[in-house]
Amino acid sequence: MEAYAAGAKFDCLLFDMDDTLYPLSLGINLACRKNIQEYMLKKLRIEESQVPRMCLDLYREYGTTMAGLKVLGYDFDYDDFHACVHGTLPYEKVKPDPVLRQLLLSLPQRKIIFTNSDKANAARVLEKLGLQDCFQGIVCFETLNPPPPTETEKNSGGSAGTILCKPSLASMEAVIEIAKLDAERTVFFDDSARNIAAGKAAGFRTVIVGSSALVPGADVALESIHNIKEALPELWEVAAAAAAGDRVDAVLRSTTAVETTVIA
């Protein structure tokens, strides 16, 4: 980390995961929504006719449907919810991405995942993409929402509290504290316009992914995460300068060695 700390304009890259590191077109998002609706219907006993609209409305108002359900007072276990929603996702659609892997490994900055999903889903997706060793940390649901302090609340899944998640400004402030970020030296990549707006409010340089058009609060728009180098070449400048410096040093060492030999 020290190698890029000196002279770098940005020292951390904060990445959303779902629909950012892989395209929305894979259909994981739709499968996830379907599973949430199934959970609402079968586990929470919500009237079937209300489920689709309620699912969408809660997502829009609270950032995630899960957070909205908790605010409305529904009592459920977080782990059970995540197991039902993410446990049967079509992960087979997520394939290794060697191009993105090389891009990430070539970036000199610290790289952190920032996702609303649980740690098991994050680990599964990164493994499927072949990117599990490309990041120095993951800030996920469990990071932002540690278990409540009392045994009673733990057993009930923490129904007395609220869920901290994107796009709230509080979640952005939390990730800054948890990951020890300097917001002005952090680039935030996300596919959600709401998350981008919150990231900009927190002080990040922001990149909307999956869109060729800027959205409010976005500094850069990427059609695909694979376009990072074309859109943000400055992220590689420190590494290039360091490499150039190494070549100059090697030439100087070589020249010095020759001259010393001649003098001797």
Side-chain angles (χ1 to χ4, degrees), residues 7-8 22 52-53 55 58 62 69 104 134 144 151 170 189-191 194 197 204 207 224 242 246 248-249 259:
Y22 62 82
R53 182 57 183 268
C55 178
L58 292 178
Y62 297 100
L69 289 168
L104 292 171
C134 294
L144 295 175
E151 288 302 320
F189 298 81
D190 202 295
D191 67 292
R194 296 187 305 170
F204 298 137
V207 181
S224 164
D246 289 343
V248 170
D249 288 344
E259 289 176 347

Side-chain angles (χ1 to χ4, degrees), residues 32-74:
C32 188
R33 185 187 303 176
K34 179 182 177 183
N35 288 349
I36 291 172
Q37 292 180 2
E38 284 289 311
Y39 189 90
M40 293 170 67
L41 178 65
K42 296 180 179 179
K43 292 291 188 83
L44 302 183
R45 306 299 183 187
I46 296 173
E47 172 61 40
E48 185 173 5
S49 62
Q50 298 179 20
V51 167
R53 182 57 183 268
M54 186 177 176
C55 178
L56 188 58
D57 286 348
L58 292 178
Y59 168 78
R60 287 173 173 167
E61 185 168 354
Y62 297 100
T64 66
T65 302
M66 181 188 192
L69 289 168
K70 190 60 68 171
V71 169
L72 291 182
Y74 286 94

Side-chain angles (χ1 to χ4, degrees), residues 219-231:
D219 296 303
V220 178
L222 293 182
E223 186 73 37
S224 164
I225 195 68
H226 295 104
N227 302 134
I228 296 178
K229 201 160 192 175
E230 293 84 354

Side-chain angles (χ1 to χ4, degrees), residues 140-181:
C140 59
F141 176 86
E142 290 88 345
T143 320
L144 295 175
N145 301 275
T150 69
E151 288 302 320
T152 300
E153 287 176 328
K154 286 180 183 178
N155 293 335
S156 70
S159 60
T162 57
I163 291 174
L164 185 60
C165 62
K166 294 184 286 183
S168 71
L169 182 58
S171 72
M172 301 294 162
E173 293 169 343
V175 77
I176 289 171
E177 175 62 27
I178 292 166
K180 306 303 179 188
L181 306 178

